[in-house]
Every structure is written in structure tokens, then in C-alpha cells.
């Protein structure tokens, strides 16, 4: 079976290492599309929470921690791998207290470093030949009324890759 970004690998046997690699690779593509999006779209995709942190955590989960799976199944060329590692280093150089403005969600739209991230992610998607994909988002939220207003008690987001 060849990799198909439009296939929902979560419905396959994820005990099979190849299926697991393909599922993670789809999640990486979703993460790159999110990272390449404008700030308003990033907010929409991530939903409630710390948007900057969530995007970086997703990148760490679906690239940094799983890159060996991609290598095992030849999912990345050397150039693609190099560009992904550059993005990983970019995040690492701003982690912790090194660059607090970078992690400020209120500056996501205006911080020029996030524009660099967007451009790097767009370039990687082109290298992967995945620039013709977009995200379809389905979100369910439940709120409860409190004496302080509405409180989010549940958020479920399903994201699929589709062709533009």
C-alpha cells in the first residue's frame, strides 16, 4: 500500500507500524497546513486554548517524536527532512523563556516570526507535493452556564485532509 493523504488511517490497524507511520504522516501534513495558515485560520483550526503552544506541540508530536517512523518507510527525501529539521530548530530556539513574544497568542497575527513559520511550512508542503490539500474541520463544543458566564466543558475537533 502506497501512502494516500486522503485516506483516514485511523480506521486501519494502527498496531501495524506502516499504518501508524502513515497516520502520523497525515497528522504532520495537517499540522503543516495549520502552521502555513494565517492567524485567523490558525485560531479557527486549533480552537480554544493556547494556539501558538498547541501548534508547536503538534509539530513536535508529528515530526520530532516520529521522524524515525518516516525514515523507516521512506516518506521523506533528504531535502524534505532538512527543511522539517530547520523548522524544528526554529521552534526549539524559541522554546521556554527564550522568546516570550513568540508564544503570545495575541501577537500571532503581528509577530513577524510567525510569518517566517508560515512561509517555512508552505515551502515544506510544496516539497512534499501536498500544497493542493486543505483541512475540513468539524467541531463540537458544549458549554455550561455558570454565575461567571458560559464555561467550555467539552471541545471535540475532527480534521480531515481534502483536495482544494
Amino acid at each position: 500500500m502506497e501512502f494516500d493523504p486522503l485516506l483516514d488511517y485511523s480506521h486501519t490497524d494502527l498496531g501495524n507500524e506502516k499504518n501508524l507511520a502513515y497516520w502520523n504522516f497525515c497528522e504532520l501534513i495537517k499540522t503543516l497546513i495549520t502552521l502555513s495558515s494565517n492567524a485567523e485560520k490558525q485560531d479557527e483550526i486549533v480552537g480554544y486554548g493556547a494556539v501558538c503552544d498547541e501548534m508547536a506541540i503538534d509539530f513536535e508530536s508529528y515530526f520530532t517524536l516520529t521522524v524515525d517512523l518516516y525514515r523507516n518507510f521512506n516518506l521523506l527525501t533528504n531535502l524534505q527532512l532538512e527543511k522539517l529539521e530547520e523548522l524544528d530548530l526554529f521552534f526549539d530556539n524559541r522554546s521556554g523563556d527564550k522568546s516570550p513574544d513568540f508564544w503570545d497568542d495575541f501577537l500571532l497575527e503581528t509577530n513577524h516570526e510567525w510569518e517566517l513559520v508560515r512561509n517555512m511550512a508552505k515551502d515544506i508542503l510544496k516539497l512534499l507535493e501536498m500544497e493542493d490539500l486543505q483541512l475540513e474541520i468539524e467541531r463540537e463544543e458544549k458549554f455550561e452556564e455558570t454565575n461567571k458566564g458560559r464555561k467550555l466543558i467539552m471541545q471535540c475537533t475532527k480534521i480531515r485532509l481534502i483536495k482544494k
Side-chain angles (χ1 to χ4, degrees), residues 5-6 25-39 41-42 45 55 59 87 117-118 120-122 124-126 128 130-137 159-164:
L6 302 179
F25 200 62
C26 281
E27 296 302 306
L28 175 62
I29 294 165
K30 292 174 189 177
T31 299
L32 289 167
I33 292 170
T34 302
L35 289 169
S36 72
S37 299
N38 64 42
K41 186 71 174 176
Q42 290 171 330
I45 295 166
M55 290 189 295
F59 185 77
L87 182 53
V117 169
R118 291 181 189 100
M120 289 170 33
K122 285 176 192 171
I124 294 167
L125 286 166
K126 286 178 188 168
L128 294 170
M130 302 286 174
E131 72 272 20
D132 64 339
L133 298 176
Q134 64 184 20
L135 302 178
E136 180 179 79
I137 304 162
I159 299 176
R160 290 184 328 121
L161 289 168
I162 59 172
K163 290 269 187 191
K164 286 184 183 175

Side-chain angles (χ1 to χ4, degrees), residues 25-79:
F25 200 62
C26 281
E27 296 302 306
L28 175 62
I29 294 165
K30 292 174 189 177
T31 299
L32 289 167
I33 292 170
T34 302
L35 289 169
S36 72
S37 299
N38 64 42
E40 183 178 329
K41 186 71 174 176
Q42 290 171 330
D43 282 337
E44 177 189 341
I45 295 166
V46 174
Y48 288 97
V51 175
C52 297
D53 289 341
E54 292 295 329
M55 290 189 295
I57 289 167
D58 284 351
F59 185 77
E60 180 181 23
S61 296
Y62 301 117
F63 175 68
T64 312
L65 301 176
T66 54
V67 66
D68 288 336
L69 268 177
Y70 308 147
R71 284 188 182 112
N72 292 347
F73 295 100
N74 300 312
L75 290 170
L76 295 169
T77 66
N78 288 336
L79 180 58

